[in-house]
């Protein structure tokens, strides 16, 4: 037997294994006539004893394989698997195939094939979902819907991708969408998206700005403005800029973005107003823009008579909730140009049949025109008779609800003497308010109100004031808030103001017919009233509890509560309409604290009184009273009461202002007690002293 170490031969152990395998194959063979044989081919070796190194003459060599000992061996097919047999037991021939034509063919013996399947990437799915949410938000402007949809996705850990997607999509759109994106981020901050996720999202944008700049030429400036806006809105900490610099390379556009945000926006004087007003400061068309577009499309329709084109233009306005204005203006145009009436009625009928203008919007349009017929008659004398002829045509045509006539008749029956008195008061109030917007004369307005002699209608005046201001510019809105603060100190009670806001919120849906952003505007007025001490925070709960169920005003109150309780709420709300008098009020509070501290530490009473006069805000002197009383409690210094006495004696602080100041302290006693345990006891002492000195109104 050859040595096991010799090249080209198997060891005894290997031969034994092969022998056993051959015996098993003999037993399992299906045909005894053709016994399975296992024959080793001749093995070619390159050197060593006896091999000679020659090539085997056999022509049956098919494969070269490696043996268990690691040597290369040639294997010749030995005839196994001939006719009538199953083949070799261990056939390892890679070229062997299962023949489908074989009578014994079994498809189950075919080798398995792995079929590739596309795996779902959760991040890709999330990005697709949020892209749809963002597109819908840009179309509707519904912040609450966007927040709900984002929460429904259920992938909070990916919200930084939402920040990146929202901003990058807005960067390539108009200023309206950019403003909407900033408003949405501010609304989702903390409640839906964490501060860390917003920071991470903006950091991803900085890293991707090189790619964004390929499609958006001014990407650096736009992203810098987004970052500055986020800092101003307190959703991105100023320290973010410093941290971002450390992660960005000097040659990247991301670093340019950070530098632009710092130098061009956040370092400029009045940068907050600059940044917030850069994109127009509103997420919607103004009322004037929408009305102008409606008028233009209607006049163009009269000229060309293309109903389909007019319907397309109405649809493109994207203000389905404002279609009543289309109805109203179309009807007015039909009265002004009577030859256009058939075309106008045709347009309204087709718009109603296509459900472009809903039945409720159609009815509201007719109702609003009916309410303004008296004024319209000044320009179109036959307005009432023309309107009475159009209504039956609309009802018979099937595009105006017949109930419109019944409701109009019922309203006419309800017009009694009380209604006429209220109507006249409203007319007088509107005149007074318009004069105030022109003159900015608060004392004159107060005198005019006193001359009306109808304090029971004070809530109606508040409703009229804010309604008129909402449909005007920031200047008038700011003037309305300042006036409200002055009226609350002079002639309006806290209940008057609460009732006025309740009336406003109850009619919020009607206000939205003329003012597209009525809900947000009302929320700002409510929150501003809290900041100006016109309302106490608890009054918001009181107002909400008195609203009807399912009233849209409840959402407005909730929004106002969030605005008033947000960080830096005072500063932001006092400049929500561009600052104006609001900044003066904030400055006045700081000056009042400083003059009282100086007087308390030994200052001159005459100088303190002069400082109060220099404020030039007599309607705000109740703040002097309030802060003086609080400081007297904190410092345990009765000297401050002496200052109030001098101010009262010199008519520097009126009885109304004094009473208002004591009232403010009384309303805030629960909060004061947290810092001053004996606050209530001290207040009772001060109140008794004030009554003895005649500072307070008898009704207090």
């Amino acid at each position: 037997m050859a040595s096991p170490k010799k090249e080209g031969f198997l060891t005894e152990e290997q031969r034994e294994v092969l022998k056993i395998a051959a015996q098993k194959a003999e037993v399992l063979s299906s045909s005894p006539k053709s016994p399975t044989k296992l024959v080793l081919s001749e093995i070619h070796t390159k050197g060593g004893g006896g091999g000679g190194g020659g090539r085997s003459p056999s022509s049956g060599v098919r494969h070269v394989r490696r043996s268990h000992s690691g040597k290369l061996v040639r294997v010749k097919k030995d005839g196994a698997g001939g006719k009538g047999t199953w083949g070799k037991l261990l056939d390892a021939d890679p070229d062997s195939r299962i023949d489908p034509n074989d009578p014994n063919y079994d498809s189950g013996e075919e080798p398995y094939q792995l079929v590739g399947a596309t795996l779902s990437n959760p991040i890709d799915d999330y990005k697709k979902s949020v892209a749809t949410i963002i597109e819908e938000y840009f179309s509707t402007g519904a912040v609450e819907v966007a927040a709900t949809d984002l929460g429904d996705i259920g992938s909070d850990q990916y919200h930084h991708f939402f920040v990146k997607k929202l901003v990058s999509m807005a960067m390539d759109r108009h200023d309206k969408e950019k403003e909407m994106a900033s408003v949405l981020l501010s609304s989702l901050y903390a409640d839906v998206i964490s501060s860390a996720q917003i920071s991470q999202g903006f950091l991803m944008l900085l890293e991707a700005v090189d790619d964004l700049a390929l499609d958006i030429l001014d990407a650096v400036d736009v992203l810098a403005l987004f970052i500055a806006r986020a800092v101003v809105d307190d959703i991105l900490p100023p320290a973010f800029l410093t941290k971002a610099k450390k992660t960005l390379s000097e040659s990247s556009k991301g670093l340019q973005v950070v530098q632009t945000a710092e130098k061009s926006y956040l370092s400029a004087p009045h940068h907050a107003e600059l940044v917030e007003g850069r994109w127009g400061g509103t997420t919607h068309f103004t009322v004037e823009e929408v009305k102008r577009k409606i008028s233009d499309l209607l006049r163009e329709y009269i000229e060309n008579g293309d109903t389909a084109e007019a319907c397309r233009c109405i649809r493109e306005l994207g203000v389905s909730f404002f279609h009543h204005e289309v109805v109203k203006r179309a009807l007015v145009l039909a009265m002004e140009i009577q030859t256009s009436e058939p075309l106008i009625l045709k347009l309204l009928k087709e718009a109603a049949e296509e459900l472009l203008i809903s039945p409720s919007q159609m009815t509201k349009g007719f109702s609003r025109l009916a309410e303004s017929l008296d004024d319209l008659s000044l320009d179109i004398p036959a307005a009432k008779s023309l309107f009475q002829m159009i209504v039956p045509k609309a009802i018979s045509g099937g595009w105006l609800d017949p109930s419109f006539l019944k409701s109009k008749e019922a309203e006419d029956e309800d017009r009694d003497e009380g209604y006429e008195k209220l109507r006249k008061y409203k007319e007088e109030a509107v005149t007074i308010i318009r004069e105030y917007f022109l003159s900015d004369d608060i004392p004159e307005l107060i005198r005019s109100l006193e001359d009306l002699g109808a304090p029971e209608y004070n809530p109606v005046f508040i409703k009229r004031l804010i309604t008129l201001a909402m449909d005007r510019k920031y200047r008038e809105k700011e003037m309305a808030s300042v006036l409200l603060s002055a009226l609350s100190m002079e002639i309006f009670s806290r209940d008057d103001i609460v009732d006025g806001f309740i009336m406003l919120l109850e009619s919020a849906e009607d206000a939205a017919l003329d003012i597209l952003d009525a809900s947000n505007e009302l929320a700002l007025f409510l929150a501003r009233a809290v900041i100006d001490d016109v309302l106490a925070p608890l009054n918001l709960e009181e107002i909400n509890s008195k609203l009807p169920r399912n009233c849209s005003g409840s959402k407005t109150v909730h929004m106002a509560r969030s605005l008033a309780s947000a960080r830096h709420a005072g500063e932001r709300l006092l400049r929500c309409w561009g600052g104006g008098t609001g900044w003066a009020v904030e400055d006045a509070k700081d000056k009042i604290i400083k003059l009282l501290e100086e007087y308390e530490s030994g200052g001159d009473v005459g100088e303190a009184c002069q400082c109060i006069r220099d404020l030039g805000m007599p309607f705000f002197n109740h703040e002097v009273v309030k802060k003086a009383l609080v400081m007297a409690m904190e410092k345990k210094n009765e000297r401050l009461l002496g200052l109030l006495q001098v101010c009262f004696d010199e008519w520097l602080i009126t009885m109304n202002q004094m009473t208002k100041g004591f009232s403010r302290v009384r309303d805030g006693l629960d909060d004061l007690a947290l810092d001053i345990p004996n606050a209530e006891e001290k207040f009772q002492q001060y109140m008794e002293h004030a009554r003895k000195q005649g500072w307070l109104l008898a009704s207090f």
Side-chain angles (χ1 to χ4, degrees), residues 418-419 421-423 425 454-462 492 496:
Y419 175 85
K421 183 181 178 182
L422 177 59
R423 186 183 65 81
Y425 178 86
E456 68 273 20
Y457 291 144
N458 285 349
V460 176
F461 181 87
I462 291 172
F492 283 12
D496 287 337

Side-chain angles (χ1 to χ4, degrees), residues 336-348:
E336 289 177 344
I337 309 173
Q338 294 183 31
T339 55
S340 68
E341 181 182 311
L343 277 174
I344 293 293
L345 298 185
K346 179 185 176 183
L347 173 62
L348 293 178

Side-chain angles (χ1 to χ4, degrees), residues 66 100 193 198 217 270 294 344 359 378 408 504 622 624 628 662:
R66 189 174 297 276
I193 304 178
I198 287 182
L217 297 180
H270 309 294
I294 291 172
I344 293 293
L378 300 176
K408 189 173 182 300
L504 271 166
H622 71 280
V624 177
F662 271 83

